[in-house]
Amino acid sequence: MAIIAEAKHLKAYYITQSYGIERTVKAVDDISLEIKEKEILGIAGESGCGKSTLLKALLGTIDPPLKIVDGTMQYEFEESYNVLSMSKDEIKQIRWTKVSYIPQGSMHVLNPVRKIRDTFHDFIATHQNLNKSETTQLSQDYLQKLGLSGQVMNAYPHQLSGGMRQRATIALATILSPKLVFADEPTTALDVLVQRGVVQLLKEIQQREGSTLVLVSHDMGVHANLADRIAILYAGKLVEEADTRSIFKNPLHPYTQYLIESLPRLDDKTERSSIPGRPPALDNPPEGCRFHPRCPHAMDICTKEVPPLVDMGGGHKTACFLVSEEKT
Amino acid sequence: MIHNTDENLLDIADLTKVFSLRQGFSTTKLVAVDKASFVLKATQPEIVALAGESGSGKTTVARMILGLTEPTSGIIRYKNKNLTQLTRQEKRSWFLKEVQPIFQNPFATFSPLKRIETYLFETASNYNVVEKENVNQYVDDILNLVGLSLAEISGRYPNELSGGQAQRVSVARALITAPSLLVADEPVSMVDASLRMSIVNLFRQLKDEQAVSVLYITHDLATAYYAADRIAIMLGGWIVEYGSVEKVLGQPLHPYTQNLKQSIPDPDPDRKWEGQINLAVLETDEFTNMGCKYASRCPEVMEVCKQKIPTDFLVEDRTVKCFLYEDKNQA
């Protein structure tokens, strides 16, 4: 499959200076990632591991104190775009029409004093030269296609239920048929029924439009249901990347193993352990492999050297000396 | 169900809370909790989960039990005493020691400007639980229960702890007064995924070793199943199904519980969701329905559901609020 976006050795740090003391938070540290056309790529990891920062870098929304220290990020549509060297205006040209973004808190995204109809109009009219009745028609048709009720258009955001609000946001983000959609925790803070409705909608849009979806979430259950491939982040590093089945059935990195092991399941009450220790602070991460202080298999080399991301065959990549040593 | 009240630690009967929302000159009434009844047994400590989607009234129930919100009607009995009739003195010297809250976000629980151990010492001195000279030892013992030690957290501010650790301190603070009941409102939803199970395991351990009962409020049914002995499923202020977790989540009877169970994302790529689900469009839809609140979304809706409000039927060792089980009522 063709590659639609590619990050190479991306390093995005938050650099702040106060009273002459410089503090660097290495939120994304040397991450290389390929996003294939028409796939659903899940990015998983706990809070503070750099998921959102990675997304910012992938989207090219770099604002101080965030700085891209190193690396490249490229979109490959009809022509290729080098995201990190594009100006704000150039990014605006492709935002929503080619590359789209579904934000996390749908509560705060929609303008509370405008009806959904007006929000849709404002949004479409910025990109296409249409008048109000045309945009209303267009958005009504689109909502209908997605199976959402027409009532939505005449409501104010606060009148909608949480799930409907999130789905209206998704409709808004995808109405201009973008090729590449990034979703940042689209189901967090929604309850299970609504979550299922939202996941259903995301999948439907992705399949009908033939677009590519990058889904950032900490919920492994959602990934299992939706993603084709999963990348696991830990403390600003990519530790494992594989197709969904391999991640769940045959995780190689000790962190992934713990993560899968600790998931509670229905119809099973046996004791589940959680990962010992705590995630490291990113302004002063441990030397070598960043997981070594919590890892039960830590070796000498883990404390000194950073394990490279190695392909173990079949596109299953992992960054762990334990696994890569065995292979050699 | 008829209960001998002596056997109940917490007995909630027909608890109702109506909020009046004023918009200009009109007032709308919102029934947040509608005749909810459930019990926590006193004979043995247990974990009871209260689960349901957002806006179903879970937190309002918790706030009423803690005495933070006044119930509109209904009775809350704790150790056979009616909570709404407690004097201030009784409330302070007895009830607040007995029932302690744990909140959702550990970083919002503690002030970022205070050292975290001061909360433990202040609670100890406010409630006079131990003599001054032994307080260090006492606090350390309590922290050991939650897997921490005084040396570990002493002098540290909340931001220096991980979410899991801060939530543990929050549990430790609640344990200082040696309570019989913890009311935990979404205690794990803000905690990192890798540390989440440590908090849930802690509740199980406290129940077994310290005989502390827990009212575990959550929207996460997987952890509810893992931790709880019994569960009450809430929908629009009602308790629609109530019984042991094995029964209610194992073989759910109410169509809403069935739908909930199917919607839990299983962390297994071999078992994906199938079929479509219906969601409510407007926030207020379900609260203003005439009959059953689930009627507009229910796949098995009947004519009677739109007209009348179902009562609780006792079926297969649990109560179900659904007309489907009218004939099978065993009560």
Side-chain angles (χ1 to χ4, degrees):
Chain A
M1 260 191 286
I3 285 162
I4 194 162
E6 188 180 14
K8 274 189 194 146
H9 303 291
L10 210 52
K11 285 185 186 174
Y13 296 170
Y14 292 93
I15 300 172
T16 47
Q17 247 178 346
S18 58
Y19 306 110
I21 300 165
E22 202 180 82
R23 187 165 170 264
T24 310
V25 175
K26 298 174 179 173
V28 168
D29 203 8
D30 200 6
I31 286 184
S32 301
L33 193 63
E34 287 173 354
I35 301 166
K36 292 175 192 154
E37 211 176 340
K38 292 180 188 164
E39 76 168 347
I40 302 180
L41 174 69
I43 298 179
E46 47 200 324
S47 40
C49 74
K51 296 192 298 278
S52 295
T53 312
L54 177 61
L55 203 59
K56 277 183 194 163
L58 295 179
L59 276 164
T61 45
I62 309 297
D63 289 311
L66 182 63
K67 257 191 197 151
I68 299 292
V69 178
D70 196 11
T72 57
M73 173 66 208
Q74 233 161 8
Y75 298 144
E76 305 285 345
F77 301 117
E78 289 83 45
E79 47 191 312
S80 51
Y81 298 85
N82 192 345
V83 187
L84 300 177
S85 63
M86 282 163 82
S87 72
K88 283 233 152 108
D89 283 337
E90 285 171 320
I91 287 181
K92 229 181 200 166
Q93 290 289 316
I94 60 165
R95 173 69 38 81
W96 309 122
T97 52
K98 288 197 168 71
V99 180
S100 181
Y101 165 63
I102 299 164
Q104 178 169 7
S106 58
M107 311 284 169
H108 320 296
V109 176
L110 299 167
N111 188 340
V113 295
R114 289 178 80 77
K115 289 186 173 172
I116 302 291
R117 174 207 302 277
D118 299 324
T119 306
F120 269 89
H121 170 73
D122 295 349
F123 187 85
I124 301 168
T126 339
H127 293 276
Q128 288 174 1
N129 199 5
L130 297 173
N131 66 29
K132 189 134 189 188
S133 62
E134 285 168 325
T135 58
T136 309
Q137 192 56 44
L138 185 74
S139 24
Q140 208 125 41
D141 290 348
Y142 188 65
L143 287 179
Q144 202 166 22
K145 256 203 295 190
L146 299 182
L148 304 185
S149 153
Q151 272 177 292
V152 173
M153 292 293 283
N154 291 321
Y156 287 99
H158 74 270
Q159 293 176 304
L160 299 174
S161 66
M164 203 37 88
R165 218 167 348 197
Q166 181 68 340
R167 290 192 289 173
T169 311
I170 292 172
L172 193 62
T174 54
I175 194 167
L176 299 172
S177 336
K179 282 268 155 287
L180 183 57
V181 181
F182 292 94
D184 189 3
E185 303 266 12
T187 63
T188 308
L190 301 176
D191 39 69
V192 283
L193 285 181
V194 177
Q195 168 167 292
R196 183 167 161 206
V198 167
V199 166
Q200 207 170 277
L201 182 70
L202 283 172
K203 181 142 201 165
E204 206 182 301
I205 294 173
Q206 187 265 341
Q207 283 186 339
R208 206 188 33 234
E209 305 281 329
S211 52
T212 308
L213 178 65
V214 178
L215 177 78
V216 174
S217 175
H218 67 270
D219 190 333
M220 293 308 283
V222 169
H223 284 307
N225 263 287
L226 196 58
D228 300 320
R229 228 153 47 89
I230 297 177
I232 309 271
L233 288 189
Y234 180 78
K237 290 267 190 197
L238 197 59
V239 294
E240 190 157 0
E241 184 190 337
D243 60 288
T244 306
R245 178 168 301 274
S246 309
I247 288 280
F248 281 94
K249 302 287 178 188
N250 182 28
L252 294 177
H253 197 279
Y255 174 70
T256 319
Q257 286 167 357
Y258 260 126
L259 201 63
I260 303 294
E261 188 56 37
S262 73
L263 295 170
R265 282 159 210 252
L266 276 189
D267 58 3
D268 185 4
K269 274 192 114 150
T270 49
E271 177 114 15
R272 307 236 163 235
S273 55
S274 65
I275 309 178
R278 55 177 293 199
L282 290 174
D283 57 344
N284 186 20
E287 290 282 305
C289 171
R290 290 184 178 182
F291 188 61
H292 86 257
R294 302 172 82 187
C295 185
H297 313 291
M299 301 172 292
D300 249 1
I301 185 170
C302 304
T303 59
K304 291 176 200 122
E305 281 176 51
V306 181
L309 195 66
V310 184
D311 195 333
M312 306 302 295
H316 193 153
K317 294 178 194 164
T318 185
C320 178
F321 285 121
L322 200 67
V323 186
S324 51
E325 297 264 288
E326 259 171 37
K327 203 188 174 201
T328 49
Chain B
M1 263 192 279
I2 301 150
H3 302 289
N4 181 351
T5 44
D6 288 341
E7 282 178 11
N8 295 332
L9 181 71
L10 182 74
D11 184 355
I12 287 172
D14 288 337
L15 191 64
T16 304
K17 177 69 194 178
V18 181
F19 288 111
S20 298
L21 306 172
R22 295 192 59 188
Q23 295 176 316
F25 291 110
S26 69
T27 309
T28 16
K29 289 213 159 117
L30 185 85
V31 186
V33 178
D34 195 356
K35 292 197 175 144
S37 306
F38 65 94
V39 297
L40 262 74
K41 293 190 188 112
T43 40
Q44 61 186 50
E46 60 176 350
I47 299 179
V48 172
L50 201 57
E53 49 193 2
S54 40
S56 62
K58 305 184 298 267
T59 300
T60 311
V61 170
R63 291 181 60 89
M64 286 193 279
I65 293 169
L66 292 169
L68 301 172
T69 304
E70 192 92 345
T72 310
S73 68
I75 294 168
I76 309 171
R77 275 207 189 82
Y78 179 76
K79 289 199 172 164
N80 225 0
K81 280 195 183 153
N82 190 336
L83 289 191
T84 44
Q85 287 163 6
L86 286 183
T87 60
R88 277 189 72 174
Q89 172 61 28
E90 269 182 306
K91 198 166 190 179
R92 200 173 159 72
S93 66
W94 174 71
F95 177 70
L96 292 180
K97 273 190 190 177
E98 285 278 326
V99 180
Q100 281 283 336
I102 294 161
F103 296 107
Q104 180 169 12
N105 187 346
F107 296 108
T109 311
F110 301 114
S111 160
L113 302 176
K114 265 179 157 178
R115 290 194 186 93
I116 204 152
E117 82 266 18
T118 56
Y119 285 91
L120 302 168
F121 289 113
E122 274 175 14
T123 309
S125 82
N126 284 348
Y127 288 97
N128 253 331
V129 286
V130 66
E131 282 97 55
K132 259 219 166 98
E133 53 270 30
N134 299 333
V135 67
N136 275 334
Q137 185 57 40
Y138 183 76
V139 167
D140 194 36
D141 289 346
I142 297 274
L143 282 168
N144 285 341
L145 288 181
V146 300
L148 294 169
S149 66
L150 189 54
E152 220 176 312
I153 64 153
S154 139
R156 295 171 81 176
Y157 289 91
N159 69 328
E160 295 171 44
L161 301 174
S162 76
Q165 277 174 315
Q167 194 63 297
R168 277 160 188 277
V169 177
S170 172
V171 176
R173 191 214 55 79
L175 290 174
I176 291 269
T177 63
S180 310
L181 176 65
L182 294 178
V183 178
D185 191 358
E186 301 271 12
V188 296
S189 59
M190 298 292 287
V191 177
D192 288 338
S194 65
L195 304 170
R196 191 164 291 174
M197 288 320 281
S198 70
I199 300 292
V200 182
N201 281 334
L202 178 61
F203 287 134
R204 279 179 35 159
Q205 181 202 332
L206 287 174
K207 182 192 81 168
D208 293 337
E209 291 168 16
Q210 306 297 318
V212 179
S213 290
V214 183
L215 181 66
Y216 177 61
I217 296 170
T218 184
H219 66 264
D220 180 0
L221 293 172
T223 57
Y225 184 87
Y226 176 74
D229 303 299
R230 290 185 304 129
I231 189 168
I233 306 281
M234 290 195 77
L235 168 73
W238 290 347
I239 291 182
V240 293
E241 193 164 352
Y242 166 56
S244 73
V245 275
E246 284 82 6
K247 290 270 181 197
V248 174
L249 292 179
Q251 299 106 35
L253 291 180
H254 196 285
Y256 176 66
T257 321
Q258 289 171 350
N259 204 345
L260 267 186
K261 188 190 173 188
Q262 282 161 18
S263 301
I264 300 168
D266 208 321
D268 184 346
D270 291 338
R271 291 196 275 175
K272 294 191 183 183
W273 288 318
E274 282 162 13
Q276 300 272 319
I277 59 156
N278 297 319
L279 296 178
V281 179
L282 299 183
E283 187 90 62
T284 48
D285 262 5
E286 304 214 319
F287 284 94
T288 50
N289 274 357
M290 263 251 293
C292 176
K293 284 169 185 164
Y294 193 52
S296 58
R297 289 192 274 157
C298 184
E300 300 181 58
V301 63
M302 299 177 291
E303 213 34 59
V304 61
C305 305
K306 293 176 188 158
Q307 324 279 330
K308 268 168 57 188
I309 292 173
T311 48
D312 290 337
F313 301 114
L314 189 64
V315 191
E316 294 175 29
D317 305 326
R318 73 190 96 173
T319 56
V320 186
K321 211 182 190 63
C322 179
F323 282 119
L324 283 176
Y325 302 97
E326 200 169 6
D327 312 334
K328 294 176 193 141
N329 194 3
Q330 290 158 355

